[in-house]
Amino acid sequence: MTPDPALLEKILKVLLSSGGELADIFFEDTVSRVLEAEGEGMERVSSGRERGAGLRVVRNGVTRFAATVDLSPETLLELARYLAAGPDPGDAVSVPDLVKQPSGRLAMLEDPSLLLLKTKGRMVLTALHTARKFDRRIVQARSIYRETVSRIVVANSLGILAEDTRAHGIFMVQVVASDGEHLQVGYEPRGGIGGFEVFRGLDPEEISLVAAGRAISSLDAPEAPSGRMTVVLSSEAGGTMVHEAVGHGLEADLSDQGLSVYSDMLGEQVAGPLITVVDDPTIPGRRGSYNIDDEGLPGERKVLVENGVLKTYMNDLSTARRAGVPPTGNGRRESYRHWPIPRMSNTIILPGKDEPDAIVRSVDRGLFVKKMGGGQVNTVTGDFVFEVSEGYLIEGGMVAEPVRGATLAGNGPEVLKSVDMVGSDLGFGLGTCGKEGQGVPVGDAQPTLRIPDIVVGGRDSGGTSG
């Protein structure tokens, strides 16, 4: 799927024929396949293909965008003329010759479409049956395998012509357990960027046992105590904290509009000196990685917060132009049907020097969070509430009995300023991040962290700081 460069240049010239600061064309051809098992066996096997193009022009700070599944030159040129005919026309803007960009280093090694369907089906059914046999209190189990292979072409008025093939795979197990009075959910996903090599060595039984064990453990556990206490976030907890409490606030569209607690804080202390945060789409195999962003720029590692000091925001071409700074390669879109906005890739709190076991031993009484759940954050104030899907009491410096129903409530900058121990380990999470109606694959990671004083929600029995 390589459109004629001469046609691309012609479309860009038409888009900018009435003036503008930026124009681009995004072509996409995506093939996807889903296998889902629930109940007693395979519930759904589906595949699909979606092809289309999105055209955009930015003029006087206003974005005009349209998408089509008709990729004929006539339709694309007609769409470009429609977008160019918007209000406040100006003089035509010249378009430089398109220069093809080099390919990136993230590649699909094993095309999943070439594997037999029964190989993938065996994974899904094995996980389902393992979960259902785990405990009689398992009332629902579901396992899902999903693969996508996308071929994209991006051309823009900066003279960039870039192509890429992106493959993503994800395998997940979700289990619901009930004792007749309470329901608890266990969930465990695996996956990343790449072809079927992402799943080589994956044990569907092990993933299923983790999810089922999490549900049953929570069902048997007493409710968590509530109050202010010391919390240790395990590196296994997933990066909900860095993604929600930090990452979104450092996306430039939010910070530019004053919708972030980190607005106008470049060079200021926004976290403790032990905290360094990076966003890095160049890590092989991670779900948020990419060779190029959806504006054709190479993905690059950037330091967002260094030793607690805010160094930069994540920009796309539009926000970078407004701020007069270089773009960071964070312009991302869900598909050709959406225009790009600043988004995270793999957002990481870098490891420190403390041994994870020593962090736990330093706490006399508190909460050990092994796995985070979902949550909410107000990017304007930084206030958040996060669920704990797997948590344990810490007593006398040791991880003790499991508890259920815990939540963490606090303020992102205040919590990150208070972190006083940072582990030497690093654990990754994965997911799909939603923003402005668009979902994109992301990764997040953190080491073991000690938060000396934070509000834990649970049963009303108080808590003590460790």
Side-chain angles (χ1 to χ4, degrees):
M1 186 187 65
T2 306
D4 180 7
L7 172 63
L8 297 177
E9 290 184 7
K10 187 175 182 180
I11 294 171
L12 290 170
K13 288 178 181 178
V14 172
L15 285 169
L16 292 173
S17 60
S18 297
E21 302 95 59
L22 174 68
D24 62 18
I25 315 160
F26 181 88
F27 292 87
E28 177 188 2
D29 187 350
T30 294
V31 177
S32 60
R33 181 171 286 108
V34 178
L35 286 78
E36 180 175 350
E38 189 172 0
E40 298 300 324
M42 193 68 70
E43 185 80 11
R44 178 169 67 105
V45 177
S46 64
S47 61
R49 183 180 183 186
E50 188 171 17
R51 300 171 69 241
L55 281 66
R56 172 179 65 148
V57 61
V58 182
R59 188 165 71 230
N60 299 325
V62 177
T63 297
R64 291 176 61 83
F65 176 84
T68 180
V69 296
D70 185 346
L71 301 182
S72 66
E74 296 78 15
T75 296
L76 295 173
L77 288 167
E78 180 183 354
L79 206 56
R81 285 189 287 269
Y82 167 77
L83 294 175
D88 303 321
D91 297 331
V93 176
S94 61
V95 177
D97 294 337
L98 294 176
V99 177
K100 190 171 182 179
Q101 305 300 300
S103 301
R105 62 193 184 99
L106 302 174
M108 176 177 62
L109 302 180
E110 193 173 359
D111 188 338
S113 66
L114 301 181
L115 270 78
L116 294 174
L117 200 61
K118 67 179 182 180
T119 301
K120 305 160 188 176
R122 190 180 303 118
M123 290 171 49
V124 174
L125 290 173
T126 297
L128 176 72
H129 296 148
T130 300
R132 292 193 64 85
K133 292 187 297 184
F134 183 80
D135 190 285
R136 60 179 178 79
R137 291 169 293 176
I138 300 293
V139 296
Q140 183 181 9
R142 184 169 62 142
S143 59
I144 301 173
Y145 167 89
R146 181 180 293 119
E147 67 186 36
T148 61
V149 178
S150 300
R151 293 173 172 85
I152 67 168
V153 177
V154 189
N156 66 34
S157 55
L158 301 179
I160 290 175
L161 173 59
E163 300 181 42
D164 197 18
T165 297
R166 300 170 177 169
H168 286 93
I170 189 166
F171 179 76
M172 65 190 84
V173 178
Q174 180 175 300
V175 172
V176 179
S178 173
D179 60 4
E181 183 179 357
H182 302 99
L183 288 175
Q184 293 295 325
V185 177
Y187 172 74
E188 184 68 14
R190 301 289 170 85
I193 188 171
F196 198 77
E197 69 272 11
V198 170
F199 302 109
R200 291 301 182 189
L202 178 146
D203 183 350
E205 289 188 352
E206 182 265 334
I207 296 173
S208 190
L209 291 173
V210 170
R214 186 167 291 141
I216 293 298
S217 176
S218 297
L219 195 65
D220 291 336
E223 290 187 19
S226 65
R228 305 195 69 94
M229 65 183 72
T230 299
V231 167
V232 175
L233 293 182
S234 166
S235 60
E236 299 178 56
T240 301
M241 178 70 72
V242 64
H243 181 92
E244 297 288 355
V246 184
H248 276 303
L250 298 184
E251 292 168 336
D253 53 344
L254 296 178
S255 62
D256 287 354
Q257 299 173 68
L259 299 177
S260 167
V261 68
Y262 303 105
S263 295
D264 301 318
M265 294 191 70
L266 281 177
E268 296 188 27
Q269 198 84 24
V270 297
L274 299 177
I275 299 295
T276 294
V277 180
V278 304
D279 187 81
D280 188 357
T282 70
I283 307 172
R286 295 303 174 187
R287 183 162 164 80
S289 295
Y290 47 82
N291 286 314
I292 58 172
D293 73 355
D294 295 326
E295 297 180 300
L297 300 181
E300 62 179 43
R301 180 184 187 272
K302 75 285 301 178
V303 178
L304 305 175
V305 177
E306 185 173 28
N307 299 326
V309 177
L310 179 55
K311 292 294 185 179
T312 190
Y313 300 103
M314 289 170 279
N315 283 280
D316 63 6
L317 286 172
S318 292
T319 58
R321 180 183 290 270
R322 288 197 298 267
V325 299
T328 60
N330 286 90
R332 305 187 67 191
R333 62 180 103 201
E334 179 177 323
S335 73
Y336 72 90
R337 292 176 280 106
H338 307 83
W339 63 76
I341 54 178
R343 305 296 296 271
M344 288 172 273
S345 60
N346 301 302
T347 313
I348 305 164
I349 297 178
L350 294 185
K353 298 180 179 179
D354 296 304
E355 289 297 322
D357 290 344
I359 296 177
V360 175
R361 289 197 300 269
S362 72
V363 180
D364 181 52
R365 180 169 172 79
L367 181 70
F368 180 80
V369 177
K370 188 171 182 179
K371 199 71 174 178
M372 295 284 281
Q376 296 179 341
V377 62
N378 183 329
T379 60
V380 178
T381 64
D383 294 336
F384 65 78
V385 178
F386 297 143
E387 298 174 356
V388 176
S389 61
E390 185 176 0
Y392 301 81
L393 292 179
I394 300 176
E395 295 178 343
M398 298 182 65
V399 176
E401 65 175 343
V403 291
R404 60 179 168 87
T407 60
L408 304 181
N411 178 272
E414 291 178 4
V415 167
L416 290 180
K417 286 178 181 178
S418 74
V419 171
D420 59 0
M421 297 183 79
V422 177
S424 57
D425 53 349
L426 187 65
F428 276 84
L430 56 89
T432 299
C433 173
K435 176 182 173 182
E436 295 187 15
Q438 299 191 42
V440 296
V442 295
D444 43 47
Q446 66 166 60
T448 299
L449 301 173
R450 176 180 134 134
I451 305 170
D453 186 35
I454 188 173
V455 174
V456 174
R459 58 180 164 82
D460 187 18
S461 62
T464 57
S465 176

